[in-house]
Amino acid sequence: MQILVQKFGGTSVASHELRLAAIRHVEVALSEGYQVVVVVSAMGRKGDPYATDTLLSLLQGVDLGSPRDKDILMSCGETISAVVFAAALRGRGHDVVVLNGGQAGISTSDRFGDARILEIRPQRILSELENGRIVVVMGFQGVNEDGDVTTLGRGGSDTTATALAVALNAQRVDIFTDVDGIMTADPRIVDEARKLKRVTYTEICNLAYQGAKVIHPRAVEIAMQKNVPIRVRSTQSMDEGTLVTSATAVLETATVADRFLTGVTQTAPVTQISVHQEELRGQNVFALMAEHAISVDFISVGTDRVTYTVPGKDGQKAAELIRGLGAGPQVVENCAKVAAVGAGIAGVPGIMAKIVDSLRKEDIEILQSADSHTTIWCLVHGEQMEKAVRALHQAFELDSPV
Ligand code: ADP
Ligand code: MG
């Protein structure tokens, strides 16, 4: 029998009605003859009673002092969610077993809060499936060498799902969420965003790394290693969603062969920092940032100035550090990175001209820009971010089918 892994995100398991919609997808898979492994996230989003962020807010103003304990707390959201989901499945007459990360055989590194999966021993899951059960696995968690609970970082349930699919040699992994699939832009910003029917692992990885939060890029990379197809789809409909496969598989269908731009993404807030070389007197700002674990981006080093960006949360700290070197940095807070992402941007003439034109037409100031073979980034003021995303989406006619 073939195995199907089905992952349901937080908004897909937030209420009894939604869980029943999710279970319809499980039942379709069963009727198609699949053995089903379900991976669940914590229920709901920030503010909902059992969401991960809500659990974390219990620690507000408290110095827990133990990353290990914090992971125990954070893993509770999935524990609750899995048990409640299993109960709903039993209510529909199914035989179910709930497994936590460790029981599911997921071994991780011991970096609490951001652990990496090192190995999966799938024997327990396989024997439960052989016994005719649906296996419900708590997403986002594993255990380290000492048997301590670890969590996998933001989007960790996506990683649980694709890693299990690889370990179980599954036919496919379905990522169920609250949108119809992977779109040409975040549908919360661009009304005209269009669902992509098929994309390659590389395209969606690029999109995800540039800020499209619909699936975690690490999860995509894991599936890519063993060529396990991913389908991103909506819990609330039977729409087939977006199929993510290798380039060869996509080319065989010849549906997207000519697409050079996949979509537009955004990341915010970021802070832009600029310092005169003269004031730095040869001191290395990047070494200083690294020392304080501040990640830098958009780096441009000129004879006159050094300019770069840092995540918004690190902006103040970065500026202080530079003042500590005796220099007076120019700091622009609350910026946003807007990116046009594709597989074939490299060497296509006129793209930058089009970007500059479309942003200028909307009176959007480009603070900085950069490009790679897959992506062109523009740094803009935060309040102009949404306008910029919409302008680029329109300029490249991403709303019309390829
Ligand atoms: P889940 O809780 O199911 O994991 P997420 O919030 O992680 O859901 O991901 C789904 C959300 O991703 C959507 O609601 C949508 O707003 C957002 N999103 C951002 N960019 C894109 C995109 N390019 N295509 C689809 N969704 C996107
Ligand atoms: Mg998610």
Side-chain angles (χ1 to χ4, degrees):
M1 273 172 98
Q2 294 285 358
I3 296 172
L4 189 66
V5 177
Q6 299 189 309
K7 179 254 172 178
F8 296 97
T11 49
S12 300
V13 292
S15 70
H16 188 64
E17 274 62 48
L18 286 162
R19 288 190 286 277
L20 289 181
I23 287 173
R24 271 203 289 283
H25 290 284
V26 176
E27 290 174 345
V28 168
L30 292 171
S31 74
E32 289 170 349
Y34 286 108
Q35 294 177 320
V36 178
V37 176
V38 171
V39 175
V40 290
S41 298
M43 287 162 19
R45 291 221 170 106
K46 194 171 190 161
D48 292 330
Y50 308 108
T52 311
D53 283 318
T54 311
L55 299 174
L56 276 175
S57 72
L58 294 170
L59 297 177
Q60 229 162 43
V62 183
D63 182 13
L64 184 63
S66 165
R68 179 179 175 275
D69 287 7
K70 192 172 169 188
D71 269 17
I72 297 174
L73 177 69
M74 278 206 285
S75 69
C76 289
E78 277 71 16
T79 307
I80 295 166
S81 181
V83 171
V84 172
F85 197 87
L89 278 166
R90 284 195 198 95
R92 300 267 310 161
H94 300 288
D95 194 3
V96 193
V97 61
V98 174
L99 301 179
N100 64 26
Q103 292 163 336
I106 301 173
S107 302
T108 74
S109 66
D110 54 11
R111 178 138 46 110
F112 292 110
D114 194 23
R116 295 285 179 276
I117 295 177
L118 300 177
E119 192 195 356
I120 296 185
R121 287 180 300 274
Q123 289 76 10
R124 173 77 186 268
I125 296 182
L126 289 169
S127 71
E128 298 288 357
L129 290 173
E130 280 314 307
N131 289 329
R133 298 205 167 101
I134 297 170
V135 179
V136 178
V137 179
M138 303 170 195
F140 179 61
Q141 55 173 262
V143 289
N144 68 11
E145 227 180 15
D146 301 325
D148 292 335
V149 175
T150 54
T151 66
L152 305 177
R154 290 278 152 189
S157 293
D158 294 338
T159 307
T160 302
T162 59
L164 281 177
V166 166
L168 293 163
N169 207 3
Q171 177 90 354
R172 195 178 73 231
V173 50
D174 283 354
I175 306 287
F176 287 93
T177 183
D178 61 351
V179 286
D180 270 343
I182 297 166
M183 326 263 294
T184 50
D186 189 338
R188 283 181 224 191
I189 295 182
V190 182
D191 288 339
E192 296 78 26
R194 194 173 44 80
K195 188 193 82 181
L196 297 159
K197 272 183 101 136
R198 291 196 73 149
V199 294
T200 65
Y201 293 117
T202 318
E203 280 180 293
I204 183 58
C205 251
N206 293 340
L207 217 54
Y209 272 120
Q210 296 314 322
K213 297 225 168 68
V214 61
I215 184 169
H216 199 281
R218 199 183 307 145
V220 180
E221 278 170 355
I222 290 172
M224 180 162 64
Q225 285 168 20
K226 285 280 155 64
N227 255 319
V228 178
I230 305 172
R231 189 161 261 175
V232 178
R233 53 192 301 198
S234 164
T235 308
Q236 301 216 60
S237 83
M238 286 295 151
D239 190 293
E240 293 200 330
T242 303
L243 185 62
V244 189
T245 56
S246 68
T248 29
V250 171
L251 280 175
E252 274 162 19
T253 68
T255 49
V256 291
D258 286 341
R259 183 168 63 221
F260 69 89
L261 205 67
T262 316
V264 181
T265 64
Q266 72 287 333
T267 317
V270 299
T271 297
Q272 186 195 41
I273 291 180
S274 180
V275 209
H276 274 296
Q277 289 280 23
E278 229 168 59
E279 294 181 33
L280 285 174
R281 300 180 315 274
Q283 300 172 96
N284 186 341
V285 276
F286 301 117
L288 184 66
M289 296 297 122
E291 229 172 82
H292 292 267
I294 298 177
S295 64
V296 295
D297 201 359
F298 250 127
I299 299 162
S300 101
V301 179
T303 44
D304 181 40
R305 303 188 78 95
V306 177
T307 306
Y308 61 97
T309 61
V310 300
K313 65 174 172 52
D314 298 325
Q316 294 287 350
K317 171 113 185 260
E320 253 167 59
L321 288 168
I322 294 172
R323 282 185 211 109
L325 296 178
Q330 195 179 313
V331 180
V332 186
E333 290 192 289
N334 192 25
C335 299
K337 257 170 74 179
V338 174
V341 185
I345 273 186
V348 180
I351 291 201
M352 197 59 204
K354 202 169 197 168
I355 290 179
V356 171
D357 267 352
S358 65
L359 295 183
R360 198 171 279 159
K361 237 187 262 159
E362 297 285 331
D363 288 325
I364 296 163
E365 185 185 0
I366 303 174
L367 300 170
Q368 224 180 313
S369 76
D371 70 312
S372 76
H373 64 295
T374 60
T375 308
I376 297 179
W377 297 268
C378 291
L379 190 70
V380 301
H381 290 293
E383 64 273 13
Q384 296 194 311
M385 174 183 82
E386 298 201 353
K387 202 158 80 162
V389 170
R390 286 192 282 265
L392 294 185
H393 194 268
Q394 198 180 18
F396 289 101
E397 294 168 19
L398 288 171
D399 54 339
S400 41
V402 196

